[in-house]
Every structure is written in structure tokens, then in C-alpha cells.
Amino acid sequence: MNHEPINEPLSAGLYIVATPIGNLGDVTMRAADVLARCDAVACEDTRVTGKLLKHLGISKPLWRYDDHSAENDRRRLVESMQSRAIALVSDAGTPLISDPGYRLVREARAAGVSVTSLPGACAAITGLTLSGLPNDRFLFAGFLPVKDKARSDMLTQLSGIDATLIFYETGPRLTKSLAAIDKVLTGREISVARELTKMFEECRTGSAGELNTHYSAYPPKGEIVLMVAPPTEVKINPDDADDLLLEALATLKASQAAAQVARITGLDRKALYARAMELRQR
Ligand code: SAM
């Protein structure tokens, strides 16, 4: 089902259709074609999708769908895919990527419905390509939790991963996230990509501290992709670690100081803990 001959009715099934993340010029020819020829469009917000369809000169029945929709609604939607072509779009970008659709796709596949996905804009990939951070290995981690402890726990969980980390972020939460990253992923290069594909697109790179200072002075507007470079292996003489440990011990418990210095230096956390206890005795 990868090629849908133009001017013929679409075969029945589910079409996952990526839409622009800001710049309407990024709608693909194939997305416009499938939206024009499908029987109905399942979407997050009928007003948002209505605007896109209007821009494309298309009028279609719009059915509101998200993964919290009632089981019955989802079952009916999957049933209708047996005989009709249904497009799934989200408000922006690629459906299912921090957006609804996962349950629908799963159930459609289980029901033997034909499912195909039309690639297009995705903020995570657009941000990564713009950031200049290593892209040979990356991990998309969605939104960071809002609560301080949950956020810092998640960052700790991700701290050992040898890949660029990609998060979705909002303007009002950016500085808190940068402060948490500064604490947990100390010393890493950070990139903030904002308003991608739009008039005020910007991508700013620096340390978490530098970016926090900047965005505290100029609160960011719009949508944000926040990226963190992989850990770098710092070749450090264990004696030099004493300075870092002493600095950390000024505000942290020995175990926390050891963990922080281990993250920065790549040195063994247990050895650092033992050394932190010695330094504390002095
Ligand atoms: N499905 C979408 C995709 O493929 O990128 C993401 C949807 S998620 C609900 C929305 C988040 O994506 C925003 O909070 C922001 O972090 C990111 N985002 C979406 N559009 C963006 C843009 N134009 N510039 C920067 N980030 C964007």
C-alpha cells in the first residue's frame, strides 16, 4: 500500500499522516493527496486540522480522536477502516510522537487493517539536525516530568546513556529544566531549538548555566526542543577529583557528591564515595 494511484479512490485502511510543525509549506505532496482522497480524518482538535484542510482546499468529515477516547469509539473507528480510508493526523508533526495514535495503530494492526505511515515533519528530528550535537546516536525522551523530584529522577536514569538526549519542552518550564540538567548532567553541551520552521526560529547552544542565564533574562516564547549532548569521557587524574569532591561536599551529602563527580569525570562512584568520606573526616 505504499503507492496510492492518484485520482483513484484510496484503498481502505489507516493512513498515518505527518503534518507541518509550523510552516505550512512543509506539508508533503503525498500528505495533501491522501487527505484529499481519504473518507474521513481522525484528529486531535477539529479546529486545528480544519485550518490545515482549509489551507489545502480540502473538506472532509473530521472525527476527534485521542488515545483516551472511549474503547467503543476506538473500536468503531477501527471497524470503519475495514471499508474506508481513514487518515490520522495530530495538531502538528508526526502522529504518535508525543501525540495520540499508539492505541489506534495497535488495535488496527491487531484487527488486520491495512496501516501505512506517511513521513513528514517531526520537531525532535528537525531540532537534532539543527543543533550541531552528535547525531549518530540519540534518544528521544518526550517531555520531562513537571515535578522537581520526578524530573531529576528521570535525568539521573538517563545520565549514563551514551547518546544525545532529546526532550520536548515548553517556554514556562525551560529554565527549571535547565537548572535540573545543570545539576544532574553537569558539564554537558546543551542546545535549545525554538519555533522550528517558523518566522522566529532560533537554535542556541551552550552550557545549561549559560542558557539558563539567557532565558531567565529573555523568557522564551513558543515551542521548544531541548537537547543534551552525550557524556564525554574526561581523562582526569584521581587526585584532581579531590577539588571537585570538596566543592560538591560543600552543599551535598558524600553519596550525592560522589555521584555528581562520577557523572562529570567518569571515575568510579564507589571509589569517589570512599574518598569523599576521607575528605570529610579531615
Ligand atoms: N508530534 C509532534 C512532532 O512530531 O514533533 C510533537 C507534538 S508534542 C505534543 C508538541 C511539542 O513538540 C512541543 O511542546 C515542542 O516541544 C515540540 N514542537 C512542536 N513543534 C515545534 C516547533 N515548531 N519548534 C520547536 N518545538 C516544537
Side-chain angles (χ1 to χ4, degrees):
M1 165 135 58
N2 289 337
H3 300 283
E4 304 85 18
I6 289 181
N7 297 329
E8 281 179 27
L10 281 181
S11 48
L14 173 60
Y15 295 75
I16 304 160
V17 180
T19 59
I21 54 169
N23 188 326
L24 290 179
D26 291 334
V27 73
T28 67
M29 289 167 75
R30 195 162 163 231
D33 176 58
V34 164
L35 290 171
R37 292 195 294 139
C38 66
D39 295 301
V41 180
C43 58
E44 274 186 280
D45 184 329
T46 54
R47 281 166 310 174
V48 174
T49 301
K51 274 190 205 156
L52 174 70
L53 293 194
K54 192 167 175 214
H55 169 80
L56 297 172
I58 295 170
S59 169
K60 288 286 158 179
L62 297 178
W63 300 343
R64 217 194 75 72
Y65 173 80
D66 66 45
D67 281 334
H68 304 295
S69 296
E71 283 287 321
N72 278 346
D73 291 348
R74 184 161 43 248
R75 196 172 318 123
R76 270 198 297 274
L77 192 51
V78 171
E79 271 165 22
S80 77
M81 292 168 193
Q82 306 278 4
S83 57
R84 290 193 255 189
I86 307 298
L88 171 71
V89 302
S90 55
D91 285 353
T94 302
L96 281 83
I97 305 301
S98 289
D99 266 338
Y102 165 73
R103 290 191 178 156
L104 189 65
V105 170
R106 215 175 149 72
E107 288 184 25
R109 294 180 70 84
V113 165
S114 162
V115 181
T116 192
S117 184
L118 282 63
C122 175
I125 299 299
T126 311
L128 179 67
T129 56
L130 190 61
S131 67
L133 297 185
N135 55 44
D136 52 335
R137 245 196 283 180
F138 59 89
L139 185 139
F140 172 65
F143 287 93
L144 279 165
V146 182
K147 296 205 169 135
D148 293 351
K149 172 149 182 2
R151 189 197 292 115
S152 116
D153 286 351
M154 180 167 168
L155 289 170
T156 304
Q157 213 176 58
L158 296 172
S159 62
I161 292 173
D162 187 15
T164 290
L165 304 175
I166 308 178
F167 301 100
Y168 281 163
E169 192 48 275
T170 62
R173 290 201 223 146
L174 178 65
T175 50
K176 274 196 164 180
S177 294
L178 287 169
I181 288 170
D182 201 11
K183 254 196 192 151
V184 182
L185 307 175
T186 317
R188 304 236 197 139
E189 193 180 11
I190 310 292
S191 198
V192 173
R194 212 170 57 78
E195 294 290 85
L196 292 164
T197 78
K198 303 185 199 176
M199 189 183 295
F200 297 108
E201 174 177 288
E202 78 162 2
C203 185
R204 200 170 274 274
T205 302
S207 70
E210 285 162 0
L211 291 171
N212 205 347
T213 305
H214 173 81
Y215 287 114
S216 299
Y218 305 98
K221 292 203 178 96
E223 302 189 280
I224 292 166
V225 181
L226 173 59
M227 290 155 286
V228 183
T232 43
E233 230 177 78
V234 184
K235 295 269 176 274
I236 185 161
N237 181 331
D239 293 341
D240 295 340
D242 281 4
D243 292 343
L244 291 168
L245 274 174
L246 284 167
E247 199 184 317
L249 282 168
T251 54
L252 299 173
K253 287 194 249 170
S255 59
Q256 294 168 325
Q260 177 172 301
V261 176
R263 273 195 302 272
I264 301 171
T265 60
L267 293 172
D268 180 64
R269 190 168 54 85
K270 279 191 187 149
L272 287 167
Y273 176 70
R275 183 67 185 145
M277 295 304 280
E278 276 174 30
L279 290 170
R280 183 154 268 184
Q281 309 277 305
R282 285 191 189 167

